[in-house]
């Protein structure tokens, strides 16, 4: 059987990534269903055919199809083959705002859980950091969900010196930037947001109920007060299948 350019590209892409092959293939096959290459109601290629196309063992193909079957996208019938049941859901309702006022608005029907709460910890440093770190921070790990589906995992760092000014219930009801936006004696004079695209690791996949290697958006938000101190930093990880970024150009 002659190998096509597309199949060669698939094999090379699989070899370059550190993500397990069966997880990569599950994402590839999911994409084929989503874009209609494997249409709903049709039979997909056999395990042997897919293994030859992708240059992997048949066991690897079976593992990837196991994932899609658990997601309800395909169904396998003995002696008949594997058929597509439905396309993946793409509920892009979670918009990452790019303006200050938008960052203060909580998402409708969102529930915020506190997964961890530490006191007097240092601020993580990065290349894109602005401002001067405070002596110590309160670190909260928060998970945002809607209708029982988690969509955001966030590490929020709040300057310990201003924590007494923030009502305790605010940590489970408002966005990170809202925590520090209207505090007495504090004016946010500088703030930035950096967005990068990545893949879910083991912890993220567990907390957001997605597969390892699934696409995620990593968002770092920083707020600096009138003294040049970083009073808040929030490192968020959004599910890639639930979020979008829209920027108004004119």
């Amino acid at each position: 059987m002659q190998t096509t350019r597309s199949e060669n590209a698939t094999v090379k892409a699989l070899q370059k990534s550190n993500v397990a092959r069966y997880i990569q293939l599950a994402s590839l096959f999911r994409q084929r269903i989503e874009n209609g290459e494997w249409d709903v109601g049709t039979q997909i290629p056999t395990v042997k055919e897919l293994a030859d196309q992708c240059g992997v063992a048949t066991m690897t193909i079976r593992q990837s199809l196991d994932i899609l079957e658990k997601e309800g996208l395909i169904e396998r019938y003995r002696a008949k083959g594997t058929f597509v049941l439905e396309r993946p859901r793409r509920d892009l309702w979670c918009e990452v705002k790019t303006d200050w006022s938008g960052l203060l608005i909580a998402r409708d029907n969102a529930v915020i859980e506190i997964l961890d709460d530490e006191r007097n910890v240092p601020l993580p440093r990065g290349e894109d950091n602005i401002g001067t770190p405070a002596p110590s921070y309160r670190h909260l790990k928060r998970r945002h969900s809607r209708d029982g589906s988690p969509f955001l995992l966030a590490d929020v760092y709040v300057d310990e010196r201003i924590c007494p000014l923030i009502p305790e219930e605010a940590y489970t009801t408002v966005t990170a930037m809202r925590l520090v936006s209207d505090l007495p004696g504090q004016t946010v004079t500088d703030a930035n947001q950096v967005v990068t695209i990545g893949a879910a690791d083991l912890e993220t996949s567990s907390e957001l109920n997605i597969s390892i290697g699934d696409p995620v958006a990593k968002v770092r938000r920083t707020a600096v007060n009138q003294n040049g101190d970083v009073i808040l930093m929030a490192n968020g990880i959004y599910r890639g299948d639930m979020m979008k970024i829209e920027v108004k150009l004119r």
Side-chain angles (χ1 to χ4, degrees):
M1 180 187 298
Q2 186 175 4
T3 303
T4 67
R5 176 185 293 182
S6 175
E7 289 168 0
N8 277 329
T10 298
V11 172
K12 290 180 180 179
L14 291 170
Q15 292 171 343
K16 287 181 180 179
S17 176
N18 292 325
V19 178
R21 298 283 176 85
Y22 75 94
I23 294 175
Q24 295 180 63
L25 286 168
S27 296
L28 173 65
F29 299 157
R30 191 183 297 112
Q31 186 178 45
R32 289 181 180 179
I33 296 173
E34 185 178 14
N35 64 24
E37 183 179 346
W38 292 352
D39 206 358
V40 174
T42 62
Q43 183 178 1
I44 71 172
T46 66
V47 169
K48 178 65 165 58
E49 290 170 339
L50 290 173
D52 290 341
Q53 289 176 15
C54 301
V56 298
T58 56
M59 177 59 70
T60 304
I61 297 296
R62 291 192 179 94
Q63 287 177 304
S64 65
L65 295 180
D66 284 343
I67 293 176
L68 299 188
E69 189 170 36
K70 289 177 182 177
E71 294 175 357
L73 302 181
I74 62 172
E75 188 163 359
R76 288 180 276 190
Y77 299 92
R78 181 172 297 180
K80 288 186 178 181
T82 301
F83 293 80
V84 178
L85 290 182
E86 63 177 39
R87 287 181 176 164
R89 292 176 53 195
R90 291 294 179 190
D91 188 13
L92 300 177
W93 62 271
C94 179
E95 183 177 354
V96 175
K97 300 294 184 178
T98 57
D99 61 295
W100 175 252
S101 60
L103 295 179
L104 304 180
I105 301 173
R107 289 166 183 81
D108 292 339
N109 303 319
V111 174
I112 302 175
E113 305 170 74
I114 303 296
L115 303 180
D116 197 15
D117 189 352
E118 299 177 281
R119 305 303 296 256
N120 297 302
V121 302
L123 184 71
R125 296 299 292 172
E127 294 180 359
D128 54 352
N129 281 7
I130 59 175
T132 303
S136 62
Y137 290 82
R138 181 176 183 179
H139 169 217
L140 300 107
K141 183 175 287 293
R142 308 199 303 178
R143 181 170 56 196
H144 300 235
S145 305
R146 192 182 79 158
D147 298 330
S149 297
F151 63 89
L152 167 61
L153 188 64
D155 288 288
V156 180
Y157 296 84
V158 183
D159 186 343
E160 283 280 9
R161 297 172 296 185
I162 66 172
C163 284
L165 304 175
I166 302 174
E168 197 63 26
E169 62 271 16
Y171 292 110
T172 56
T173 56
V174 303
T175 66
M177 284 297 187
R178 174 65 75 180
L179 290 171
V180 300
S181 63
D182 300 310
L183 296 180
Q186 298 292 320
T187 302
V188 176
T189 58
D190 194 7
N192 75 348
Q193 174 173 261
V194 178
V195 181
T196 57
I197 304 302
D201 58 17
L202 181 60
E203 179 186 7
T204 302
S205 66
S206 176
E207 296 292 357
L208 294 183
N209 194 28
I210 56 179
S211 298
I212 296 175
D214 275 2
V216 295
K218 299 180 180 182
V219 182
R220 170 171 289 189
R221 295 169 178 144
T222 308
V224 176
N225 70 1
Q226 69 274 16
N227 300 319
D229 298 326
V230 177
I231 56 175
L232 178 133
M233 176 182 287
N235 295 322
I237 303 177
Y238 289 84
R239 286 180 54 153
D241 62 343
M242 286 187 175
M243 62 81 65
K244 64 178 180 178
I245 301 173
E246 184 173 336
V247 180
K248 185 175 176 59
L249 300 178
R250 295 188 64 182

